Every structure is written in C-alpha cells, then in structure tokens.
Amino acid sequence: MNRIPREWLKLTYHRPRIILNGLRRIQCGGQLNGLPYTIAALRTRELKPFLEGRQAALFCHGIGTRIGREVSFALFESADYDIVARYEDGGVMRMVPVQLKELPPSAVNSNVDLQQILDKLGKKLPDSKDLVVAIHLNRDIQGLHTEGLRIPTGFGQIWLYGGKDHTQQAWSLIGDLLKNSNLVSDFHYPSDMIYSAMWQQDIIGRCLGSISLSFGLNPICQ
C-alpha cells in the first residue's frame, strides 16, 4: 500500500512479545483455573477483542521472526481487516492491513475446514490486493497438505500459522501461500532466547533442501 491512511498513524501499536508474555503469565498464574471454557479460551462476544489480540500478536511475532525485525500491530475493526501491522524496512515505516481468520478447534466447530475458509474469502473479497490474510490453524496441523488447496488469488498475501502441539511453545508459519505454499518456518513462543528455523517441504511433509537455523537473545523480552 503506497498511501498510508492518516487514521492509521493515530492508532496505538502493541509489541507482540510483550502481549504474549503477559497472556502466558496469566495462564501460568492459575487465574484461569475453574473458569468455563468459553471464558478461559476468550470465546465470548465480550472477550473477542482479546482473542483477536492474541491471534494478532502470534501472527506478527511469527512474521517478525521470519523477516528478522519487530512487527507491531494495532487493533482496528474495518469491513475488510481487523488489524494494522507495522514494521520498519530500510528506514521506511511500512503499514499493512491484515484480516484475521481462524480454523477453530474441532470442539468448537468440527464442520468447518480450511478449504471452506479460503473459498469464503475468495467470494467475499475477490479483489483485495492490498490485504494480508492470516489464518490461525487452531487444531493439530501435523500432516497438513497445502499443495491441494484452492488458493484465492485476489489478495496481497495469505499466511497460515498454528501451534505444533498442545503446549503451544513451538509454532509454524506457512506461506505466503500465493508465492510458496511449501515454505515453512518455525518460531517459539517469546522467551529470552530467539529461535527460528525455515525450510521447504513437499506435499507429504518431506524436507526439500537444507534447513536454515538462527539463534539469538531477545532484546525486548520483558
């Protein structure tokens, strides 16, 4: 997007690692023990902004790990997008509208699948070249085959991300599907140590070529 809307400049932008560390402290501190699932999992209408905030923080943290720079975000409900992501690129501040989608847990809705979400997006927003779509795979993503998916082409980028197991310590980021649906990178929930890995895989999950690894201290972990 060449022209940045003036209203985006006035938004409050959040640092993903700080948001995620705060949520993890709440989870580990026992405040959620005994609460109904819909409340503990932020699945009520009143708690929807917090659920979207967590999804936005996870996606931006994963993208930031992929590109090697911090990506912050601001919640901003619009007809076409849910957040504005912001990052610095060569001394220039970039801002991108992002629509958040979720493949919900089977316990919440077992009737929906990833292809249905993609098809619905393609029909609803057939020409949205400035829009990034981020789909949270809130299920077991082991064995996910992206090669067979019908990918709508009217978007700027389409990404998938999800936890690799029930601990949700390790995550995978897949995409951009419009460029390379086989490109996968791993990132970890925020900690003092940054770890990332990236590789390409074929339709049955076999690694293609070498795996790129990187390690380092997290300079903004609080």
Side-chain angles (χ1 to χ4, degrees):
M1 176 173 290
N2 295 323
R3 186 184 66 84
I4 297 177
R6 184 173 298 179
E7 57 192 350
W8 290 6
L9 300 174
K10 300 178 182 179
L11 298 174
T12 299
Y13 288 84
H14 306 282
R15 302 166 75 182
R17 293 189 182 106
I18 294 176
I19 297 295
L20 294 173
N21 280 330
L23 290 173
R24 182 54 58 90
R25 283 195 294 269
I26 292 174
Q27 180 185 21
C28 296
Q31 291 95 322
L32 303 180
N33 294 348
L35 292 177
Y37 171 77
T38 54
I39 295 178
L42 307 176
R43 292 193 172 277
T44 67
R45 180 174 297 179
E46 295 77 11
L47 294 175
K48 182 181 177 182
F50 296 95
L51 176 63
E52 290 186 343
R54 181 177 185 269
Q55 292 171 340
L58 285 165
F59 172 65
C60 290
H61 177 54
I63 288 288
T65 303
R66 170 80 70 92
I67 67 177
R69 60 180 67 95
E70 184 180 28
V71 179
S72 58
F73 70 93
L75 295 174
F76 187 75
E77 289 290 345
S78 170
D80 295 339
Y81 56 93
D82 302 296
I83 68 169
V84 177
R86 182 180 72 175
Y87 64 98
E88 187 175 328
D89 179 21
V92 177
M93 189 60 66
R94 308 289 186 185
M95 293 185 179
V96 183
V98 181
Q99 182 169 118
L100 302 172
K101 289 296 181 182
E102 180 194 38
L103 178 62
S106 298
V108 174
N109 186 350
S110 61
N111 296 320
V112 65
D113 60 31
L114 179 57
Q115 187 61 67
Q116 290 173 328
I117 294 174
L118 292 169
D119 289 343
K120 188 175 181 179
L121 278 168
K123 293 178 181 178
K124 183 179 179 181
L125 301 168
D127 186 14
S128 303
K129 295 297 186 181
D130 289 329
L131 184 65
V132 172
V133 176
I135 304 175
H136 178 200
L137 304 179
N138 203 349
R139 296 184 187 177
D140 182 4
I141 64 172
Q142 299 299 322
L144 174 68
H145 296 165
T146 57
E147 289 286 352
L149 293 172
R150 297 185 302 274
I151 310 297
T153 59
F155 298 96
Q157 299 175 12
I158 301 177
W159 299 85
L160 309 177
Y161 65 102
K164 299 185 71 173
D165 57 41
H166 72 281
T167 67
Q168 298 198 352
Q169 283 292 104
W171 291 72
S172 287
L173 177 71
I174 305 170
D176 164 19
L177 297 186
L178 293 173
K179 292 182 178 179
N180 188 345
S181 62
N182 287 324
L183 189 59
V184 183
S185 59
D186 273 359
F187 63 97
H188 278 206
Y189 207 90
S191 67
D192 290 337
M193 177 65 71
I194 299 174
Y195 156 81
S196 65
M198 186 164 59
W199 67 92
Q200 294 190 67
Q201 64 184 35
D202 62 17
I203 191 171
I204 62 174
R206 294 178 302 191
C207 183
L208 302 176
S210 60
I211 298 177
S212 173
L213 297 172
S214 63
F215 300 88
L217 290 176
N218 180 355
I220 63 171
C221 186
Q222 297 185 10

